[in-house]
Amino acid sequence: RSNMADLDASVAETQKVLQAVISKPKLTEALLKKPPFRFLHDIVTEVKKQTGFPAGLTDHDQDSNNFKDKESKIAYLTKVIGFVTDAVGPIAVKPQKIVAGLEPENTNAWLQGLAKASSSSGGAAPAPAPKPAAAPAPAKAAAVPAKASSSSKANVDGIDVKVSFNAPAKEVFECFTVPNRVMAYTQSKCEVGTEPGQKLSLFDGSITGETVSCTPNEKLVWLWRQAAWPEGKVSTVTMTFEQTSPGTTEVAMRQTGVPAEDVHGNSNMRQVVEEGWKRNIFDRIKMVFGFGTPQFS
């Protein structure tokens, strides 16, 4: 009963704050207690129309006919949830749960965050902003690593990490390209692969992007964005895999385009990203698969 009362209160709050922003679709109690994808898509699209938020939504995003299967719906929700959390802070909502019709109280918390973010965005003025979010613009960054110096000092937004694994290059490479392997050490859902243009999603969507290029067992290039980064900020990750002996592989990771601070004003973003690579990716791979002693933890 307590949970039901909490949901009733949350739905009432959602109706209150969203009705101050939009007049359609009709925010009925029944729909808000188990919101279908199309209903949520209509809400986001109307908020965008009335306020200009989220600025990063494209014409493709605003056509519900482009989201018919589960994967595309999750990808869309991951994107729009990211816009809201970037603006108002973390919200305990997962796109997978929304698509499954679960945890409606968290979905309502996100809708309330959407209303808050749109109200503080200053009306429709941000509307011209979608252009920077288009995929071709950040893709140009892929050429940066080839020209940049290997010294992080020469490129102030660059991160360089080198690590050795006690495993063949093929097995190490698969730790970044085979979903089951990635999920084993991240303990979360992911999207990874080797095809250019294939979506990248790590740690339940807190990191998103796509594969730029891939040379199996030798080189992998990603576009990489973290949820708390300023809108439009996308970095480029380049990893090379060199098998120095039958059972040893050296990985060199270079990441360029990392912003100096996040949307919350934290000015140590590059340090946070570097530590994330060391502790949450490289050391976890070693611990889970037995590829050597952790170097950074």
Side-chain angles (χ1 to χ4, degrees), residues 30-40 43 98-99 101 104 107-108 111:
L31 286 171
L32 287 169
K33 283 188 173 180
K34 194 170 183 180
F37 175 84
R38 176 60 186 269
F39 173 63
L40 295 173
I43 289 175
I98 295 177
V99 171
T107 305
N108 275 268
L111 288 172

Side-chain angles (χ1 to χ4, degrees), residues 85-214:
T85 56
D86 281 355
V88 303
I91 299 173
V93 61
K94 294 184 178 181
Q96 295 88 347
K97 297 291 187 182
I98 295 177
V99 171
L102 303 174
E103 300 181 357
E105 64 281 3
N106 292 335
T107 305
N108 275 268
W110 167 63
L111 288 172
Q112 293 161 27
L114 173 65
K116 180 180 178 181
S118 65
S119 297
S120 61
S121 68
K131 292 183 180 179
K140 294 179 181 178
V144 172
K147 297 179 181 179
S149 165
S150 61
S151 169
S152 60
K153 292 182 180 179
N155 190 324
V156 294
D157 70 350
I159 296 171
D160 293 281
V161 180
K162 292 184 178 181
V163 59
S164 178
F165 294 95
N166 295 338
K170 181 178 183 296
E171 292 188 26
V172 178
F173 187 81
E174 289 177 348
C175 290
F176 300 92
T177 57
V178 176
N180 287 341
R181 280 190 166 250
V182 176
M183 286 190 286
Y185 67 84
T186 63
Q187 292 296 294
S188 58
K189 292 184 178 180
C190 71
E191 290 183 73
V192 294
T194 58
E195 294 297 319
Q198 191 166 357
K199 293 176 183 175
L200 169 70
S201 178
L202 301 173
F203 299 102
D204 286 328
S206 64
I207 294 167
T208 56
E210 67 179 57
T211 299
V212 175
S213 63
C214 173

Side-chain angles (χ1 to χ4, degrees), residues 7 10-16 18-19 26-36 39-40 43 103-105 107-108 111:
L7 179 56
S10 184
V11 166
E13 179 64 17
T14 301
Q15 290 172 322
K16 175 184 174 183
L18 269 180
Q19 284 171 351
K26 191 172 182 180
L27 303 173
T28 67
E29 183 177 331
L31 286 171
L32 287 169
K33 283 188 173 180
K34 194 170 183 180
F39 173 63
L40 295 173
I43 289 175
E103 300 181 357
E105 64 281 3
T107 305
N108 275 268
L111 288 172

Side-chain angles (χ1 to χ4, degrees), residues 11-90:
V11 166
E13 179 64 17
T14 301
Q15 290 172 322
K16 175 184 174 183
V17 296
L18 269 180
Q19 284 171 351
V21 180
I22 58 175
S23 58
K24 62 179 182 178
K26 191 172 182 180
L27 303 173
T28 67
E29 183 177 331
L31 286 171
L32 287 169
K33 283 188 173 180
K34 194 170 183 180
F37 175 84
R38 176 60 186 269
F39 173 63
L40 295 173
H41 185 276
D42 287 349
I43 289 175
V44 174
T45 301
E46 186 64 17
V47 169
K48 163 73 172 177
K49 179 180 177 181
Q50 297 300 326
T51 71
F53 181 90
L57 283 187
T58 64
D59 290 342
H60 178 276
D61 293 329
Q62 295 176 76
D63 185 351
S64 61
N65 292 320
N66 292 320
F67 307 102
K68 296 297 186 182
D69 57 78
K70 180 180 177 182
E71 289 72 22
S72 64
K73 291 177 180 179
I74 289 175
Y76 168 84
L77 289 168
T78 299
K79 183 174 184 177
V80 294
I81 288 171
F83 287 137
V84 173
T85 56
D86 281 355
V88 303

